[in-house]
């Protein structure tokens, strides 16, 4: 199907960017209530995408395409199947709530319009990532998410921590993006198509390719950085510097899920190989354990949630890594449940922060009476996160356990990791949802009270969806999750959602998880205060490593600059000339193109005389001891050149050269009377030898080059053209002048413009204002000092 | 014929390069002046040499009656001479002004743009 | 430099050189010469005059500022190229007219005006440099 401008899907992709443009204007006139209006945009996108549920769940994905760069076969194309549709629905649906939430959260903030604008840009990019079919389109949207998340994370750009987090996110995800681009190019090259939908139709071509390993590692480089897998996980908790709406959005439905999306997308064409099933579970499992452990050790509620996101991503990657249909069904359900409960929890934490003035775990308590709605929604979300009946999270976890137990060759290890991770996740979820609300009331910086409608609308919707999707389990399973699981697994997947309990291994594992989770919850304070372990190092190490890398880059660059750009013009010129000499001489010698030495021709005595005069002039300049000698010698060599022109049939050049030499001597004399020229040239001996060597190399090289040039046959066709047509069509008998003013008039026009500009420049230099750039006074000092005062 | 001029061009380049690697700005400028002449001779010689026959068509005929010197390099050089002269003038004035402002004609002491012992850039975000 | 003889001769020499420069420029299309050489000769004339009689005197003689002359030359060269627009031919195409005045055929052409433009640019820019330095 051809994508054209009358198709609403095109407008759905463009709408967030348009909304980004109008957001600041809307905010200016409507204040924070502009959010109500702006939220209509993602809501409309959501409703439009909803129309695709029926065709997609019937197993007919939609492909829309339009030519973009036809020369390279790059299209702007979108591909809507179960996987991309559910992602797009989550992005636009949660996006609607996030826009509302941002309206309340940043109420009264001077830059709220800009913030909303960034959010929309990010939303548009993210929609593009999941809907793009063409690999180049996908890559561009992928990089756009990196850039827009940089803008969002660095929103409080006056804080250094915020800037650091933003740069970190950009460097890590942008760097991964470059790897991804390379991977995509190899994929397209091997698979013969830039379209993901076409590659999916030809499953084994990439796996059988000899460069499969390279493709896989490059694509994983992109996915792991984006999805914050160990050892790239560090940017995600740091991104908590962003205002809470950003965290809620980035963590629930977008950004970090982009990596998981990509892995799920390529699972049919790259997955189910030994390499895939080794790398993904190992890194995923490691990320899960590190993430949950770090989560339990945090005081800041947002950081607790951030690390659980890292952990959840690890779990998802581990599950995708099994390439097992049932495990993938579990992953899909878990991803869906996670988007709902994590989005809700982040918004609740933000509301607590907003209303109580702190989000320090140890300083909050007893909020359940003050913030009853937040309390209920938090409990619902935490139940889902902990995988407890009757929330969607429960079914998801059951499915995960059922999917991994007994199916993978290393299922015992994977199951153990999953149970341990989930138990800690359970504890972390309850730390966030229970701790602040129970216990006795604490004094907080602000008197806590329930948040306004804009703030609590999102949590209410998302948390209750955790239950509603269970109630309408048939629809959820058949229309949303089954198509997605089928796309990911590459075969028809079956999803069942119901309230009924099945007494099997999965339920037993769940029971173990809950018991373990309660233990961790009780011991949370001990874990937090425990001394560092290896896992601590694994968690924090890469973050410090990032600093070292950046510092090393800066210092390394400064060091290299100091060595190469040392402010010593002598050395610049020496290097330049050395390389020039090499460039002239090496090809001549290397390709054995040295000219044959011709006979010295017979010359008239006056010709010898002129050549001798030129040499005398040159040598006199070299050994001149005072400025008069130097100027006169300069004149001598110039007049010799004029004579050479005269001897070889160039009277115009000869006259010009005479006049120019006269003027040069006059001007140099005028300047030299003002400049006190050092009489001698005090180069140290080694310098003298080096410079002489370079000079001889260049001089000899040029001579050899010119002799070679003159020994190849001359092609006079261009000169003949001018000679033949000078009188015929340009009515001039002086061919040189005709070339200058007629045939090559445009060149001459440019050249006289240059002459004119030098005239202007000279006058400006002489008459310009004078500055006190005296010796030993560094003019930059002033500037530096002023800058320092600002800090 | 060309061989001798080629050797002369080599001499011009050698001398100018040697002068330009000096520390003193006047020597550098003299080197630049010589380089201009060297380049002009290079172009002239690579267009091949013809003795004493300027590329001028005699009155009454449409093309030259004898083989003349190659007009194309001459046209190139003619403008090059004037431009290199005006640039030389500009460089001279620039050097003179630099000398006035900085009080030195030694390029090693000219450190306004690249100060000595510049501090390392700060390592922060 | 300010010897009596030099100071006396310089204005005449300069005047002669300027006259010669005009001659060289105008004959440039058919004989050795042209705008570049003519301009250089004229610029040297003013430089010599400046050394002998002082810059002030030269500026008074020139009447126009040298850079204005150069700008005029650049404009003349540009306009002589633009004239081709009227005849719907590309920029800088040579246009020729051979009107007969008092029985003498005159060759008027845009390349000639272009060359005159070159003459003024070289004269103005170089004289300006020389005079600025002499001050």
């Amino acid at each position: 199907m051809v994508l054209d401008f009358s198709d609403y899907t095109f407008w759905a992709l463009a709408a967030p960017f348009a909304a980004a443009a109008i957001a600041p204007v809307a905010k200016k006139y409507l204040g924070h209530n502009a959010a109500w209006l702006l939220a209509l945009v993602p809501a409309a996108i959501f409703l439009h995408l909803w129309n695709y549920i029926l065709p997609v769940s019937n197993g007919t994905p939609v492909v829309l395409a339009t030519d973009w760069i036809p020369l390279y076969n790059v299209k702007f194309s979108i591909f809507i199947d179960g996987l991309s549709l559910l992602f797009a629905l989550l992005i636009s649906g949660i996006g609607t709530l996030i826009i509302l939430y941002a309206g309340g959260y940043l109420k009264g903030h001077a830059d709220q319009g800009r913030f909303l604008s960034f959010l929309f840009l990010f939303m548009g990019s993210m929609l593009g990532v999941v809907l793009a079919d063409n690999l180049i389109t996908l890559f561009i949207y992928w990089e756009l998410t990196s850039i827009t998340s940089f803008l969002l994370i660095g929103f409080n750009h006056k804080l250094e921590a915020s800037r650091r987090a933003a740069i970190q996110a950009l460097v890590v995800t942008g760097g991964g993006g470059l790897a991804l681009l390379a991977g995509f190019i190899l994929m397209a090259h091997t698979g013969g198509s830039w379209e993901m939908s076409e590659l999916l139709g030809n499953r084994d071509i990439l796996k059988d390719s000899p460069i499969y390993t390279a493709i896989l590692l490059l694509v994983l480089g992109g996915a792991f950085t984006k999805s914050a897998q160990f050892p790239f996980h560090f940017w995600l908790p740091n991104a908590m510097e962003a205002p809470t709406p950003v965290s809620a959005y980035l963590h629930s439905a977008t950004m970090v899920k982009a990596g998981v999306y990509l892995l799920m997308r390529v699972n049919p064409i790259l997955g189910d190989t030994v390499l895939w099933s080794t790398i993904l579970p190992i890194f995923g499992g490691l990320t899960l354990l590190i993430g949950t452990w770090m989560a339990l050790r945090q005081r800041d509620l947002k950081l607790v949630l951030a690390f659980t996101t890292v952990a959840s991503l690890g779990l998802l990657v581990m599950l995708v890594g099994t390439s097992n249909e049932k495990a993938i069904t579990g992953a899909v359900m878990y991803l869906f449940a996670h988007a709902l409960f994590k989005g809700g929890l982040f918004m609740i934490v933000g509301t607590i922060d907003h209303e109580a003035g702190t989000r320090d775990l140890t300083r909050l308590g007893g909020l359940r009476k003050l913030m009853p709605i937040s309390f209920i929604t938090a409990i619902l979300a935490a139940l889902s996160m902990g995988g407890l009946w009757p929330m969607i999270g429960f079914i998801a976890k059951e499915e995960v356990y059922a999917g991994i137990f007994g199916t993978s060759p290393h299922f015992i290890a994977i199951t153990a990791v999953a149970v341990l991770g989930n138990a800690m996740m359970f504890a972390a979820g309850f730390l966030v949802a229970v701790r602040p609300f129970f216990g006795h009331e604490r004094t907080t910086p602000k008197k806590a009270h329930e948040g306004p409608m804009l703030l609590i609308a999102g949590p209410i919707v998302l948390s209750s969806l955790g239950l509603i999707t269970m109630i309408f389990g048939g629809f959820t399973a058949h229309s949303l999750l089954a198509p997605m699981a089928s796309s990911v697994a590459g075969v028809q997947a079956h999803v069942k959602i119901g309230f009924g309990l099945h007494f099997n291994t999965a339920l037993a594992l769940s029971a173990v998880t809950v018991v373990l989770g309660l233990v961790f919850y009780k011991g949370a304070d001990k874990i937090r205060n425990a001394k560092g372990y290896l896992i601590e190092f694994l968690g924090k190490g890469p973050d410090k490593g990032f600093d070292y890398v950046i510092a090393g880059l800066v210092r390394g660059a400064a060091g290299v600059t100091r060595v190469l750009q040392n402010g010593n013009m002598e050395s610049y010129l020496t290097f330049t000339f050395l390389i020039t000499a090499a460039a002239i001489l090496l090809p001549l010698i290397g390709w054995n193109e040295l000219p044959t030495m011709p006979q010295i021709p017979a010359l008239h005595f006056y010709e010898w005389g002129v050549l001798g005069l030129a040499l005398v002039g040159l040598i006199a300049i070299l050994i001149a001891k005072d400025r008069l000698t130097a100027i006169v010698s300069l004149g001598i060599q110039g007049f010799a050149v004029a004579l050479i022109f005269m001897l070889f049939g160039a009277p115009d050049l000869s006259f010009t050269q005479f006049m120019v030499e006269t003027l040069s001597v006059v001007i140099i004399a005028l300047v030299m009377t003002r400049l006190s020229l050092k009489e001698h040239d005090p180069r140290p001996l080694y310098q003298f030898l080096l410079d002489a060597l370079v000079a001889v190399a260049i001089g000899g090289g040029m001579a050899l080059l010119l002799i070679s040039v003159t020994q190849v046959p001359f092609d006079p066709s261009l000169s003949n053209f001018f000679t033949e047509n000078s009188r015929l069509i340009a009515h001039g008998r002086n061919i040189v002048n005709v070339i200058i003013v007629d045939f090559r008039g445009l060149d001459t026009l440019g050249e006289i413009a240059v002459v004119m500009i030098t005239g202007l420049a000279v006058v400006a230099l002489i008459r310009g204002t004078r500055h006190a750039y005296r010796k030993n006074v560094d003019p930059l000092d002033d500037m530096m000092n002023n800058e320092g005062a600002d800090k | 014929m060309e061989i001798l001029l080629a050797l002369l061009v080599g001499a011009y380049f050698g001398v100018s390069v040697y002068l330009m690697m000096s520390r003193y700005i006047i020597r550098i400028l003299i080197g630049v002046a010589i380089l201009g002449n060297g380049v002009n001779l290079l172009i002239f010689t690579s267009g091949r040499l013809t003795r004493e026959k300027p590329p001028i068509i005699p009155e009454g005929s449409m093309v030259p009656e004898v083989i003349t010197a190659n007009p194309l390099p001459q046209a190139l050089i003619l403008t090059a001479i004037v431009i290199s002269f005006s640039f030389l003038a500009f460089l001279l004035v620039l050097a003179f002004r630099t000398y006035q402002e900085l009080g030195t004609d030694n390029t090693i002491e000219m450190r306004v743009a690249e100060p000595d012992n510049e501090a390392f850039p700060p390592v922060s975000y | 430099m300010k010897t009596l003889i030099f100071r006396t001769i310089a204005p005449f020499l300069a005047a002669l050189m300027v006259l010669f420069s005009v001659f060289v420029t105008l004959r440039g299309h058919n004989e050795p010469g042209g705008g570049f050489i003519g301009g250089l000769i004229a610029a040297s004339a003013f430089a010599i005059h400046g050394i002998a009689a002082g810059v002030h005197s030269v500026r008074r003689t020139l009447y126009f500022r040298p850079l204005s002359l150069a700008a005029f030359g650049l404009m003349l060269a540009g306009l002589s190229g633009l004239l081709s627009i009227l005849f719907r031919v590309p920029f800088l195409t040579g246009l020729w007219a051979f009107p007969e005045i008092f029985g003498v055929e005159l060759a008027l052409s845009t390349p000639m005006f272009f060359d005159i433009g070159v003459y003024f640019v070289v004269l103005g820019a170089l004289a300006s440099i020389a005079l600025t330095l002499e001050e």
Side-chain angles (χ1 to χ4, degrees), chain A residues 324-655:
Chain A
N324 170 281
E325 177 220 323
K326 288 190 80 180
I328 280 170
T329 309
V332 165
M333 295 177 72
Y334 186 79
L335 184 142
F336 181 66
H338 177 257
L340 299 179
F341 69 68
K342 192 53 73 64
L345 280 177
F346 260 113
M347 289 196 239
I348 292 161
V349 166
T351 311
I352 293 173
D353 185 20
H354 199 260
E355 304 305 339
T358 180
R359 44 174 208 255
D360 186 335
L361 200 56
T362 54
R363 294 176 61 191
L364 290 165
L367 290 176
R368 68 180 183 282
K369 283 178 195 146
L370 299 170
M371 305 173 74
I373 304 176
S374 296
F375 168 60
I376 294 168
T377 52
I379 290 295
L380 282 178
L383 285 177
S384 195
M385 182 167 171
L388 292 180
W389 194 86
M391 306 300 291
I392 182 91
F394 169 70
I395 294 287
K397 193 173 47 121
E398 296 297 288
E399 197 68 32
V400 166
Y401 285 153
I404 53 180
F405 192 81
T407 50
S408 161
H410 310 289
F411 74 91
I412 294 183
I414 292 181
T415 310
V417 168
V419 168
L420 193 60
N422 265 330
M424 289 198 272
M425 195 107 72
F426 173 94
F430 275 79
L431 273 183
V432 173
V434 176
R435 270 288 287 265
F437 294 100
F438 284 97
H440 57 89
E441 273 185 47
R442 311 271 183 95
T443 47
T444 47
K446 280 199 228 168
K447 185 79 186 101
H449 56 82
E450 190 55 85
M453 193 59 203
L454 278 169
L455 287 186
I456 56 173
I460 293 173
V461 173
L462 289 178
S463 297
S464 48
L465 270 178
L467 197 57
I468 294 168
T469 46
M470 284 294 283
I471 296 169
F472 297 98
F475 174 79
T476 315
H478 176 255
S479 300
L480 296 176
L481 300 180
M484 173 162 167
S486 307
S487 309
V488 177
V491 293
Q492 190 61 45
H494 301 282
V495 180
K496 267 192 186 157
I497 296 181
F499 287 104
L501 294 178
H502 302 280
F503 294 93
N504 51 19
T505 335
L507 193 65
L509 287 171
S510 281
V512 174
T513 309
V514 172
V515 171
L516 262 178
L518 286 172
V519 172
F520 278 119
Y521 180 70
K522 285 283 171 203
D525 286 331
K526 274 184 197 157
I527 292 175
R528 190 179 315 117
N529 298 326
K531 287 275 171 263
Y533 294 105
L534 172 69
I535 213 159
E536 188 81 347
F537 168 74
L538 289 178
K540 284 255 175 73
D543 190 26
K544 292 219 177 71
F546 178 82
D547 279 346
Y548 289 130
V549 168
I550 293 292
L553 260 176
V554 171
R555 295 216 178 260
V560 170
T561 310
R562 267 196 186 184
V563 171
L564 291 183
Q565 195 175 343
N566 50 14
N568 182 353
M569 198 163 87
E570 250 180 299
S571 62
Y572 299 166
L573 284 172
T574 309
F575 276 119
T576 310
F577 288 137
L578 264 176
I579 290 167
T580 312
I584 299 169
L585 284 173
L586 290 183
L588 280 178
I589 298 166
W591 277 273
N592 208 11
E593 290 189 359
L594 287 173
T596 50
M597 272 299 152
Q599 289 289 310
I600 301 293
L603 291 188
H604 300 300
F605 69 94
Y606 54 84
E607 289 170 338
W608 281 114
V610 169
L611 293 179
L613 192 63
L615 277 180
V616 168
L618 289 177
I619 293 166
I621 293 170
L622 279 183
I623 58 172
K625 291 276 179 229
D626 60 280
R627 58 185 170 213
L628 192 64
T629 320
I631 295 171
V632 170
S633 320
L634 192 66
I636 289 176
Q637 59 81 29
F639 288 123
V641 172
L643 287 174
I644 290 173
F645 289 147
M646 181 65 97
L647 288 179
F648 295 103
D652 284 329
L653 297 191
S654 187
F655 293 155

Side-chain angles (χ1 to χ4, degrees), chain B residues 5 14 24 42 51 60 66 68 72 79 89 91-92 101 103 107 110 113 116:
Chain B
L5 270 186
Y24 293 99
L42 176 79
R51 277 198 183 116
V66 292
T68 64
L72 185 59
T79 48
L91 287 178
L92 277 167
E101 297 284 349
T107 55
M110 295 179 181
D116 240 347

Side-chain angles (χ1 to χ4, degrees), chain A residues 50 130 584 697:
Chain A
W50 192 265
V130 296
I584 299 169

Side-chain angles (χ1 to χ4, degrees), chain A residues 48-92:
Chain A
H48 172 69
L49 291 169
W50 192 265
N51 291 327
Y52 282 107
I53 286 182
L54 196 61
V56 166
S57 62
N58 287 336
T60 46
V62 182
V63 177
L64 301 168
T66 183
D67 273 348
W68 183 11
I69 313 171
L71 185 63
Y72 296 111
N73 210 7
V74 173
K75 292 179 190 163
F76 183 87
S77 54
I78 58 182
F79 176 49
I80 305 178
D81 67 346
L83 174 60
S84 47
L85 182 62
L86 185 66
F87 262 102
L89 284 172
L90 285 174
I91 291 163
S92 53

Side-chain angles (χ1 to χ4, degrees), chain A residues 160 163-164 167 546-547 550-551 554-555 558 562 565-570 572-574 577 598 601-603 606-608 611 614-615 618 621-622 634 637 641 644-645 647-651 653 656-657 660-661 663-664 667-668 672 674-683 687-688 691 694-695 698-699 702-703 706-707 709-710 712 714 718-719 722-724 727-728 733 735-736 739-740 751 754-755 758 761-762 765-766 769-771 773-775 778-780, chain B residues 1-28 30 33-34 37 40-42 44-64 68-83 85-90 92-97 99-105 107-125:
Chain A
E160 186 178 349
R163 295 195 298 270
R164 173 172 184 265
I167 291 171
F546 178 82
D547 279 346
I550 293 292
V554 171
R555 295 216 178 260
R562 267 196 186 184
Q565 195 175 343
N566 50 14
N568 182 353
M569 198 163 87
E570 250 180 299
Y572 299 166
L573 284 172
T574 309
F577 288 137
L603 291 188
Y606 54 84
E607 289 170 338
W608 281 114
L611 293 179
L615 277 180
L618 289 177
I621 293 170
L622 279 183
L634 192 66
Q637 59 81 29
V641 172
I644 290 173
F645 289 147
L647 288 179
F648 295 103
L653 297 191
T656 314
Q657 180 77 20
V660 159
E661 279 313 321
L663 276 173
S664 296
I667 288 181
I668 291 182
M672 276 204 184
R674 306 183 189 195
L675 258 181
S676 65
L677 174 74
K678 294 275 190 312
E679 307 300 351
H680 54 295
D681 186 7
R683 301 187 206 195
Q687 178 105 41
F688 163 77
D691 290 357
V694 173
I698 288 203
M702 288 310 287
L706 189 51
I707 294 173
V709 166
T710 52
V712 295
F714 182 60
L718 191 58
S719 304
F722 291 127
T723 309
E724 282 157 18
R727 182 105 200 240
L728 196 64
R733 292 191 289 109
I735 304 170
V736 175
I739 294 175
I740 289 176
E751 282 151 1
V754 172
V755 173
T758 53
V762 165
L765 266 178
I766 291 282
T769 52
R770 307 210 161 165
H771 303 281
Y773 288 147
R774 296 304 301 189
K775 209 162 34 169
D778 185 353
L780 290 176
Chain B
M1 192 68 253
E2 280 87 1
I3 163 88
L4 288 174
L5 270 186
L7 293 175
L8 186 64
V9 166
Y12 266 87
F13 270 87
V15 169
S16 83
V17 162
Y18 180 77
L19 286 171
M20 278 195 273
M21 282 185 290
S22 159
R23 291 174 192 181
Y24 293 99
I25 202 151
I26 275 293
R27 274 177 209 280
I28 295 176
I30 292 176
I34 295 175
N37 283 333
N40 288 343
L41 279 180
L42 176 79
F44 193 64
T45 313
S46 57
R48 306 302 188 272
L49 302 173
T50 311
R51 277 198 183 116
E52 291 152 20
K53 291 285 183 291
I56 290 176
I57 302 166
E59 201 148 7
S61 63
M62 295 307 280
V63 287
T68 64
N70 188 352
L72 185 59
Q74 295 194 19
L76 297 177
I77 295 167
L78 187 62
T79 48
I81 291 174
V82 178
I83 288 196
F85 167 68
S86 51
F87 260 100
L88 179 65
F90 173 69
L92 277 167
V93 172
L94 192 63
F96 168 57
R97 291 284 296 142
Y99 178 72
Q100 271 190 331
E101 297 284 349
L102 300 176
T104 176
D105 59 352
T107 55
I108 290 178
E109 289 166 22
M110 295 179 181
R111 303 301 291 250
V112 173
E114 294 156 328
D116 240 347
N117 296 323
E118 204 173 357
F120 274 112
V123 182
S124 66
Y125 295 92

